[in-house]
Amino acid sequence: MMDWIIGLAPALRLGLGICAVLMFATIVSEVLRWRVRGKQSPVIDNLVSRIRAWWVMAVAVGIAFACGREGVIVLFFLVSFFALREFMTLTPTRKGDYWALVASFYLILPYQYWLLYSGWYGLYSILIPVYAFLILPILSTVGGDTKGYLERTAKIQWGLMISVYCISHVPALLNLNIGGQAPDVARNLLLIAFLVIVVQSSDVLQYVWGKLLGKRKVAPELSPSKTWEGLIGGVASATLLGAALWWITPFSPLQAAGMAVVINIMGFLGGLVMSAIKRDRGIKDWGHMIEGHGGMLDRLDSVCFAAPIFFHMTRYWFSGAV
Amino acid sequence: MIRNIAAKVIISIIHVITGARALWEGTQPAAGKRVYYGNHASHGDFVMIWSALPPKLRPHVRPVAGADYWNKDALRRYIIHKVFRGVLIERDPAKRTEDAITTLVRAIDEGSALILFPEGTRNTEDGLLPFKSGIYHIAQQRPDVEFVPVWLDNLKRAIPKGRVLPLPLLCTARVGAPVVIKGGEGKDEFLSRARTALLDLADENDPARLAENGDAK
């Protein structure tokens, strides 16, 4: 059995591992549900629907991986679209922002992913922070509406930054020339898997540790459910997981742990920033797309903040680029 | 047949653009004497309310629309008459052959529920316009009709008046508790109660509600 598993390609081994973890989670949640049968339990209902949603997400990512580079780029294009739509829906803009919103949805979003597909690093790394940043406020002046102008333009810029720029840095990992060689799709897909698995399990583990031991709140105003116990336990265990996954990356176990700790902390802080935005808007969730989780942005807030940093750290230290 | 396909196509377009999420907060979908009334910002409005209803009820729910707009060309005429079986009202009193209220009450007596927009026109500003008196006159003639408020969130931004290209923003239809006329209730009283019931469905931070509080000061 062991020999057979070791003989498999890393991607298949990883896929089997994820299935095993989800299977375990499903069994645990079904046992819990069976124990409280007949009684109302919102926590367990939520857990069950969360785990179901994880299965759906894992299958969607699995299919995209099987389709290779194009599949992954299309998947994240759609993810960005749904995230941008949630963000723009919840941050009120005015009539005068019509052209800026048209440009965001119909030009900048597809063009960013087209650049990524064509591999033009020089442009996709500055399209939104430089060009969109300057052009969108210009478009918002067209209507001559100055009410809340700075706030409105900042909202659109932030929406694009988080939903398109940050999320696009997950598939951008496909373009890295690890070790100075031409991009190897199979190896770079595993880098994406490393980022997503480590950051997402950090979220889950923070939740689990917080539920088990959580007492002292980290940021009661921003996110009352986040505790120091959850944060430390979650980041530490997800970092160990990252180190244990070194074999799918170009990193040594110690380097993998270093990478994992940075992206876990960025992920945690990203979650805090996104909570601050939600609280300002007076909402609990970004949307309703993923049952039990909320919207696309609720699931991806941590990945958004971790992805560009992970991309640049990997590019700087492991791709031989400057 | 083609009619049903056309209806499905229009509904799916609205679904793709807006997500068309319907929240039945104050009541459940039901057959019976009902008038669904909402805030009016775009041509997607009545489709949004229509698609919030269970498919079985849809054929019995007819949108009330302006004849001048919908009779303009063959496509519009087809959509409003054949697909949605709209009740058309001549907005210019000079062209009317029949009192608008009589037309609407007849449609209700024939067993249809109505969708109408008491602001009278597509509203491009933030606030909710004062209501026209039509719903009061219907209520007076048929006091057992339930007036169901439906707040349409974001449609104004998703399908802005006068723009060709819609924006893919998520829109929600919030259906509130029905308003029924009380014995002896006056026109202003009833209209303001209906208008408040609709506004109360909007989000606290909604520009329409903020505009309302601004007026009150």
Side-chain angles (χ1 to χ4, degrees):
Chain A
M1 179 80 183
M2 265 333 263
D3 291 345
W4 179 72
I5 290 176
I6 289 166
L8 286 173
L12 278 177
R13 258 187 283 166
L14 202 61
L16 279 179
I18 291 168
C19 281
V21 169
L22 285 178
M23 205 80 89
F24 174 72
T26 306
I27 292 168
V28 169
S29 72
E30 290 301 327
V31 167
L32 285 174
R33 198 158 71 140
W34 181 76
R35 276 177 53 180
V36 298
R37 66 192 177 281
K39 280 179 267 174
Q40 292 278 353
S41 174
V43 177
I44 289 175
D45 289 346
N46 180 261
L47 185 72
V48 169
S49 53
R50 266 172 192 257
I51 291 168
R52 273 191 203 142
W54 274 119
W55 275 108
V56 176
M57 290 187 273
V59 169
V61 173
I63 292 172
F65 271 46
C67 298
R69 187 166 186 272
E70 290 77 11
V72 171
I73 291 177
V74 168
L75 173 75
F76 281 93
F77 168 78
L78 292 173
V79 167
S80 275
F81 168 76
F82 290 122
L84 186 65
R85 165 162 155 151
E86 284 173 3
F87 196 101
M88 296 305 188
T89 297
L90 289 169
T91 51
T93 52
R94 291 165 60 82
K95 251 189 303 173
D97 298 312
Y98 177 74
W99 290 111
L101 288 172
V102 166
S104 305
F105 277 108
Y106 298 124
L107 291 175
I108 300 167
L109 165 66
Y111 193 45
Q112 171 77 4
Y113 278 88
W114 173 256
L115 290 172
L116 209 76
Y117 174 72
S118 66
W120 188 357
Y121 169 79
L123 195 49
Y124 68 69
S125 60
I126 62 167
L127 178 74
I128 290 168
V130 176
Y131 290 96
F133 188 91
L134 295 175
I135 290 167
L136 290 172
I138 297 173
L139 289 174
S140 283
T141 60
V142 169
D145 181 2
T146 55
K147 193 172 173 193
Y149 177 77
L150 185 57
E151 207 181 312
R152 278 159 41 208
T153 49
K155 279 169 186 161
I156 300 178
Q157 287 165 334
W158 259 91
L160 274 176
M161 203 58 198
I162 290 177
S163 326
V164 182
Y165 187 77
C166 289
I167 291 180
S168 74
H169 277 70
V170 180
L173 290 165
L174 291 171
N175 291 339
L176 290 180
N177 311 315
I178 300 296
Q181 287 160 4
D184 174 344
V185 175
R187 276 181 65 180
N188 288 0
L189 279 174
L190 291 173
L191 267 179
I192 295 182
F194 177 82
L195 168 69
V196 174
I197 291 171
V198 170
V199 176
Q200 295 288 357
S201 40
S202 167
D203 280 1
V204 174
L205 291 164
Q206 283 176 42
Y207 172 87
V208 172
W209 282 100
K211 281 268 178 249
L212 291 177
L213 304 172
K215 281 192 192 75
R216 282 167 287 253
K217 293 192 160 124
V218 180
E221 273 87 34
L222 290 178
S223 188
S225 61
K226 290 196 163 80
T227 59
W228 280 107
E229 292 80 358
L231 169 62
I232 294 166
V235 169
S237 42
T239 301
L240 283 179
L241 175 70
L245 285 175
W246 69 276
W247 50 275
I248 64 169
T249 68
F251 320 136
S252 72
L254 199 61
Q255 288 166 334
M259 286 286 190
V261 80
V262 174
I263 57 180
N264 287 335
I265 290 172
M266 279 311 290
F268 170 78
L269 296 173
L272 277 191
V273 170
M274 297 300 275
S275 293
I277 300 177
K278 282 191 283 188
R279 260 168 212 258
D280 178 40
R281 297 290 317 128
I283 47 166
K284 212 183 128 277
D285 290 324
W286 283 103
H288 312 273
M289 221 184 141
I290 312 175
E291 218 199 319
H293 297 255
M296 188 62 88
L297 278 171
D298 292 293
R299 192 58 273 129
L300 283 182
D301 50 6
S302 46
V303 172
C304 289
F305 276 62
I309 304 292
F310 180 68
F311 174 86
H312 284 289
M313 287 195 303
T314 311
R315 184 174 179 276
Y316 185 77
W317 278 309
F318 295 90
S319 81
V322 185
Chain B
M1 175 68 183
I2 295 176
R3 250 169 27 194
N4 291 340
I5 295 171
K8 284 218 176 80
V9 168
I10 294 170
I11 287 176
S12 17
I13 291 173
I14 291 287
H15 266 268
V16 168
I17 298 172
T18 71
R21 189 160 162 260
L23 299 174
W24 291 81
E25 292 176 347
T27 183
Q28 287 304 313
K33 289 191 173 179
R34 277 189 161 182
V35 171
Y36 296 92
Y37 68 98
N39 52 317
H40 199 17
S42 85
H43 289 309
D45 291 352
F46 76 78
V47 185
M48 185 76 178
I49 296 182
W50 212 65
S51 72
L53 296 161
K56 255 202 265 173
L57 285 181
R58 284 178 199 160
H60 309 289
V61 182
R62 302 173 65 185
V64 177
D68 48 317
Y69 179 86
W70 287 99
N71 277 336
K72 232 172 227 164
D73 55 57
L75 180 66
R76 288 187 207 181
R77 277 197 295 273
Y78 179 79
I79 290 175
I80 202 67
H81 289 291
K82 301 286 181 203
V83 180
F84 293 108
R85 296 179 56 244
V87 183
L88 291 199
I89 297 296
E90 197 59 66
R91 272 185 284 202
D92 178 5
K95 286 189 196 156
R96 272 188 205 147
T97 52
E98 182 184 49
D99 176 48
I101 303 300
T102 314
T103 317
L104 296 180
V105 168
R106 193 173 52 234
I108 293 175
D109 290 342
E110 284 166 8
S112 300
L114 302 179
I115 297 173
L116 56 78
F117 300 97
E119 289 173 282
T121 180
R122 283 181 290 155
N123 175 9
T124 55
E125 294 309 312
D126 283 341
L128 185 63
L129 296 175
F131 278 9
K132 308 262 186 209
S133 56
I135 55 168
Y136 169 71
H137 295 301
I138 298 174
Q140 234 189 354
Q141 296 191 18
R142 296 290 177 271
D144 54 340
V145 169
E146 289 187 326
F147 290 84
V148 182
V150 185
W151 181 262
L152 299 170
D153 210 10
N154 248 345
L155 242 81
K156 193 179 295 190
R157 292 171 66 212
I159 310 176
K161 190 173 184 173
R163 305 285 195 197
V164 180
L165 203 57
L167 293 169
L169 298 172
L170 295 167
C171 301
T172 313
R174 287 176 192 279
V175 187
V179 176
V180 179
I181 195 163
K182 294 174 187 161
E185 193 169 24
K187 186 174 94 176
D188 294 342
E189 225 179 315
F190 176 74
L191 289 180
S192 102
R193 200 155 61 87
R195 191 166 173 275
T196 312
L198 179 59
L199 257 183
D200 283 349
L201 294 170
D203 186 76
E204 263 175 51
N205 295 316
D206 192 282
R209 274 183 78 168
L210 296 178
E212 197 72 8
N213 297 335
D215 291 345
K217 268 176 208 160

